[in-house]
Amino acid sequence: MQGLTKAQVDKAEGRDFALGPGSKRPRDAATLILLDRKGEDVLVLMGRRHVNHAFMPGKFVFPGGRTDPDDGRVPVTDALDPQVEAKLLSTIARRSLTRARAIALSAIRETYEEAGLLIGRRGPFATAKADWQGFVEHGVQPSLQPLRLVARAITPPGRVRRFDTRFLAAWRSDVAVELPNGGPTNELEELVWLPLDEARQADIPAITRTILEELQQRLTTDPLLGPGGPIPFYRMVRNSFVRDIF
């Protein structure tokens, strides 16, 4: 999508993000790309959004959603890796460690709510936050240490909904509990583990395909997804969709 004009992006993503007068300021959001290895293949977890949803119905997506500021005050057993923390802080206009934690923890929370996967360590956990009671009930202490920042993208202007999304990644081995029936919400009606090549061919948003291509390329030189590494950043600048690295 690098170098595309606004009109070309509008056409490519017309079915993904409805056009119309919406909020001009993108909202913080996070998504989690959960990976697994099977032989020579790297698999990625994708979920199909319910066909009755107004936003991207029927599309395969990663678990994720809008950041809740309260997430930044949830206790964790392990903090973000210092390199990941520094990269994440650099994406925030008014640098705030609490805000960075909230963005990262929202990806973990959404992965539980949408996919029934709890990332962290087994052990007693207590919090009064309503959205985190699943971790309390299943005895999982949330951990930020496994997360890796792999990309960032801002929804172009002129969309009804705009998000400043940080794409984080982790491995299936970082999941402490897998609920057999998925998460407690009905956001995703089908969960599948797909090889990266197959995931790129699925019915996915254009930006999701771009991020998968970026991730696949990174894995060729960094198969364990270390905490460092370049982070691609996609956004609209002067009516052209551009890719920067930070």
Side-chain angles (χ1 to χ4, degrees), residues 16-95:
D16 303 341
F17 296 94
L19 302 177
S23 172
K24 294 183 179 180
R25 183 177 180 180
R27 298 178 176 181
D28 284 332
T31 191
L32 188 67
I33 306 172
L34 201 60
L35 302 170
D36 194 14
R37 290 191 182 276
K38 186 177 182 181
E40 297 297 317
D41 287 330
V42 175
L43 310 182
V44 60
L45 179 69
M46 305 289 291
R48 188 192 295 273
R49 287 182 59 81
H50 199 282
V51 294
N52 293 329
H53 286 169
F55 184 57
M56 294 193 293
K59 292 281 186 179
F60 277 101
V61 297
F62 309 123
R66 192 173 68 186
T67 294
D68 184 341
D70 282 347
D71 288 338
R73 297 174 177 83
V74 171
V76 298
T77 186
D78 299 295
L80 286 165
D81 179 277
Q83 294 183 71
V84 176
E85 180 181 283
K87 290 278 190 179
L88 195 53
L89 279 170
S90 72
T91 71
I92 302 171
R94 296 181 179 179
R95 297 193 178 192

Side-chain angles (χ1 to χ4, degrees), residues 109-229:
R109 174 180 50 75
E110 291 280 352
T111 300
Y112 157 66
E113 292 178 351
E114 297 181 357
L117 304 176
L118 290 76
I119 294 174
R121 297 185 184 183
R122 295 301 298 263
F125 175 65
T127 179
K129 304 297 184 185
D131 291 341
W132 289 86
Q133 292 310 299
F135 285 77
V136 175
E137 294 167 9
H138 295 285
V140 176
Q141 303 167 349
S143 174
L144 293 175
Q145 192 279 330
L147 301 186
R148 300 291 182 257
L149 182 63
V150 296
R152 178 188 181 193
I154 298 179
T155 310
R159 271 57 176 179
V160 172
R161 301 181 183 184
R162 296 190 67 208
F163 299 103
D164 184 346
T165 303
R166 285 71 162 191
F167 293 83
L168 297 149
W171 294 94
R172 191 173 187 174
S173 57
D174 299 315
V175 176
V177 171
E178 296 189 26
L179 302 182
N181 297 319
T185 70
N186 63 350
E187 287 286 321
L188 303 178
E189 61 179 359
E190 180 182 357
L191 292 167
V192 291
W193 289 91
L194 298 174
L196 288 176
D197 285 335
E198 290 185 24
R200 289 168 50 194
Q201 304 305 315
D203 185 11
I204 58 178
I207 188 60
T208 302
R209 183 170 292 105
T210 298
I211 300 303
L212 283 174
E213 291 169 355
E214 293 274 9
L215 180 60
Q216 196 165 19
Q217 183 175 359
R218 177 171 170 177
L219 285 168
T220 61
T221 58
D222 184 12
L224 298 180
L225 280 186

